Amino acid sequence: EAQVTQNPRYLITVTGKKLTVTCSQNMNHEYMSWYRQDPGLGLRQIYYSMNVEVTDKGDVPEGYKVSRKEKRNFPLILESPSPNQTSLYFCASSLSQGRGNEQFFGPGTRLTVL
Amino acid sequence: GNSVTQMEGPVTLSEEAFLTINCTYTATGYPSLFWYVQYPGEGLQLLLKATKADDKGSNKGFEATYRKETTSFHLEKGSVQVSDSAVYFCALSGTGGSYIPTFGRGTSLIVHP
């Protein structure tokens, strides 16, 4: 089954404790991205990657890091989480960055930073 | 830059009512337009799309027409069901030299039996 998986689905942590949210897709997609969803603000893109070893900032990259060492994986790293990073996070992928390509989303990771 | 504006929700309807969710956009060039749906506890999934002016996207009884003259892509359904209760996102991509997608803030739809 074609899918995007994220882990963990739920995470409660404390300020300053480094964490990684994993994302993997099995569709051989070139383009992957991370979003955060907050009430009243909709979806905001954090980082994206056009292919292996190619990443770039989205609209709200501060406090986040990413890497793309393999085509299928695109982990999101919070080196020193803060309470304002409490949010619902989605990973997404698409065949390429082409204008008509739909994005496939993972199920989401709900992060709470105390 | 690009932007997408959706009507604020929640939109509350009775089953079998007609649905319209308005979406207008600002973009240079000729973007592709999308509607995504997010059911409770799930990620977004594509509902329909249109890639050029006057195209009509349709799926599961939902329709939207790409109107370049009014820069709009309104979502419609003739008879909603309780199972259509979800959050709907309008989005665009593929313009301004960048293919980074732009999403609206989402519109919550609640359908009562």
Side-chain angles (χ1 to χ4, degrees):
Chain A
E1 180 190 355
Q3 60 182 348
V4 178
T5 57
Q6 295 179 227
N7 282 293
R9 293 290 311 277
Y10 302 90
L11 179 58
I12 300 174
T13 189
V14 295
T15 299
K17 185 176 181 181
K18 181 179 179 179
L19 67 91
T20 299
V21 183
T22 64
C23 172
S24 182
Q25 50 92 6
N26 63 0
M27 295 169 279
N28 201 35
H29 284 171
E30 290 185 352
Y31 183 84
M32 297 185 74
S33 60
W34 276 102
Y35 296 88
R36 59 179 290 173
Q37 183 179 20
D38 301 290
L41 297 177
L43 280 173
R44 294 180 292 169
Q45 191 177 56
I46 303 170
Y47 268 95
Y48 65 95
S49 169
M50 290 188 287
N51 215 324
V52 175
E53 302 292 0
V54 181
T55 63
D56 209 344
K57 297 177 180 178
D59 297 321
V60 288
E62 294 76 22
Y64 305 94
K65 284 177 58 176
V66 292
S67 68
R68 187 94 180 272
K69 293 185 171 58
E70 305 165 284
K71 199 171 188 178
R72 63 184 295 129
N73 296 324
F74 190 46
L76 179 70
I77 303 156
L78 285 72
E79 297 222 324
S80 183
S82 62
N84 65 11
Q85 292 178 298
T86 293
S87 187
L88 179 59
Y89 291 87
F90 289 101
C91 180
S93 72
S94 65
L95 188 61
S96 69
Q97 216 186 10
R99 62 185 291 277
N101 290 329
E102 70 173 284
Q103 292 196 76
F104 293 82
F105 285 82
T109 295
R110 187 167 291 282
L111 172 65
T112 302
V113 184
L114 303 175
Chain B
N2 300 334
S3 67
V4 174
T5 303
Q6 294 180 232
M7 59 190 294
E8 294 212 9
V11 174
T12 304
L13 296 172
S14 297
E15 206 164 25
E16 299 184 3
F18 184 85
L19 168 71
T20 300
I21 300 178
N22 290 336
C23 171
T24 57
Y25 67 90
T26 302
T28 56
Y30 302 91
S32 292
L33 301 174
F34 305 83
W35 277 102
Y36 287 85
V37 59
Q38 183 182 28
Y39 298 106
E42 298 183 11
L44 283 72
Q45 57 186 273
L46 180 70
L47 181 59
L48 53 85
K49 71 177 184 182
T51 57
K52 61 183 189 296
D54 299 325
D55 265 3
K56 178 186 283 188
S58 61
N59 186 24
K60 299 181 181 180
F62 291 89
E63 293 183 341
T65 301
Y66 190 142
R67 301 284 188 205
K68 187 160 177 61
E69 64 276 12
T70 54
T71 61
S72 64
F73 194 53
H74 305 320
L75 183 68
E76 297 182 336
K77 186 175 186 183
S79 176
V80 293
Q81 306 300 311
V82 172
S83 57
D84 293 327
S85 298
V87 180
Y88 293 82
F89 291 89
C90 185
L92 67 83
S93 73
T95 183
S98 167
Y99 294 111
I100 297 176
T102 302
F103 285 83
R105 294 188 175 187
T107 302
S108 175
L109 170 65
I110 301 169
V111 181
H112 294 293

